[in-house]
Amino acid sequence: MQRERFEEELAAELARRPDLVVAQAAGWRTVVYAARAAGIPVVHWMHGWMGLQGVESNPEADLLLANSAYTRAHVLEEFGLDSIVFSPPVEPGRVRAARPVAAGGLVTMVNPHPLKGVDRLLELAEAMPATRFLAVDSWGTPPYVGRRLARLPNVERRRASLDLREVYADTAVLLVPTSWDETFGRVVVEAHGNGIPALASDRGALPDVVGAGGRTLAYEAPLAEWVGALEDLLDPRRWPEWSRAARANAERFEFRAEIRRFVDLAQGPSVGS
């Protein structure tokens, strides 16, 4: 039923004859085929490699984009498809902290899920009882994780929200200890734009996205290394330096420049030809 409704809504949108269609995530094949059948230029923007098995060397879309250099390299190696890197634009006004961030704030993890490395958050909170942590729900925190978080007096938990401006205002360091390969890491870019450095695992695209705006460690690194890295980022004498580095790193993903770049790509010779 959901698929039928999706196809009905897609057909209605295509009937309006847009200048360009962007296909992404689950269902991208349906969108590409429908747009091509309607004679409308279509871009496939990959946020991973979902559904690429069996794709011919020449993809159906007019233009193939990847959300990171990591995604581009993986798709090229595994499927022989080359693409152009176009990172997800982050509009500053929608994620700007409600108040200026400062040293002494919380260590925040968004999406305390096992795949996102919540076990590392729990270990750090236990090892650093004087440090205040914040866990912000997203996908749906498993009940057993919620119970473990509730037992830690230095961990606050907040409900999922599309508006994280208050969260960022309360945050000094962003924690991204994911245990799986992230193909981008949008939350890092949002935090960096607010001058919040990040401590992340080295999975997937995270080392590149974090850049000089924080530190990355192997997920399997000893807890002592994670504690040391977090203490370094929280050090009030060094935090201003880390904050400036985070803001500078965010400029790599500057919103208006990325939008202009997308328009240039969409108007390129391969689109609609």
Side-chain angles (χ1 to χ4, degrees), residues 48-64:
W49 35 93
M50 180 185 301
L52 281 177
Q53 294 83 354
V55 173
E56 299 296 332
S57 57
N58 294 313
E60 298 93 339
D62 294 278
L63 181 65
L64 191 61

Side-chain angles (χ1 to χ4, degrees), residues 240-260:
E241 177 185 346
W242 283 116
S243 180
R244 288 191 294 270
R247 289 188 187 277
N249 192 62
E251 290 299 315
R252 297 166 53 208
F253 307 96
E254 201 274 324
F255 178 72
R256 286 166 295 187
E258 285 296 285
I259 294 300
R260 287 194 296 269

Side-chain angles (χ1 to χ4, degrees), residues 216-266:
T216 57
L217 292 172
Y219 177 78
E220 304 85 358
L223 177 60
E225 292 187 21
W226 281 86
V227 170
L230 186 52
E231 288 177 340
D232 180 37
L233 293 172
L234 288 169
D235 186 337
R237 296 166 298 181
R238 297 205 59 200
W239 189 88
E241 177 185 346
W242 283 116
S243 180
R244 288 191 294 270
R247 289 188 187 277
N249 192 62
E251 290 299 315
R252 297 166 53 208
F253 307 96
E254 201 274 324
F255 178 72
R256 286 166 295 187
E258 285 296 285
I259 294 300
R260 287 194 296 269
R261 183 165 172 267
F262 177 81
V263 171
D264 289 342
L265 290 170

Side-chain angles (χ1 to χ4, degrees), residues 112-114 140-147 157:
H113 189 278
T141 304
Y144 82 90
V145 171
R147 290 191 293 270
R157 182 179 172 191

Side-chain angles (χ1 to χ4, degrees), residues 10-11 14 29-40:
L10 173 61
L14 294 179
R29 279 183 172 279
T30 300
V31 175
V32 169
Y33 288 137
R36 293 293 260 179
I40 299 173

Side-chain angles (χ1 to χ4, degrees), residues 22-89:
V22 178
Q24 57 184 329
W28 68 266
R29 279 183 172 279
T30 300
V31 175
V32 169
Y33 288 137
R36 293 293 260 179
I40 299 173
V42 58
V43 173
H44 176 200
W45 187 18
M46 301 181 296
H47 298 268
W49 35 93
M50 180 185 301
L52 281 177
Q53 294 83 354
V55 173
E56 299 296 332
S57 57
N58 294 313
E60 298 93 339
D62 294 278
L63 181 65
L64 191 61
L65 301 179
N67 67 337
S68 66
Y70 175 78
T71 298
R72 175 181 179 268
H74 183 91
V75 170
L76 181 60
E77 179 179 355
E78 293 295 322
F79 305 103
L81 298 175
D82 202 0
S83 56
I84 297 172
V85 175
F86 176 70
S87 303

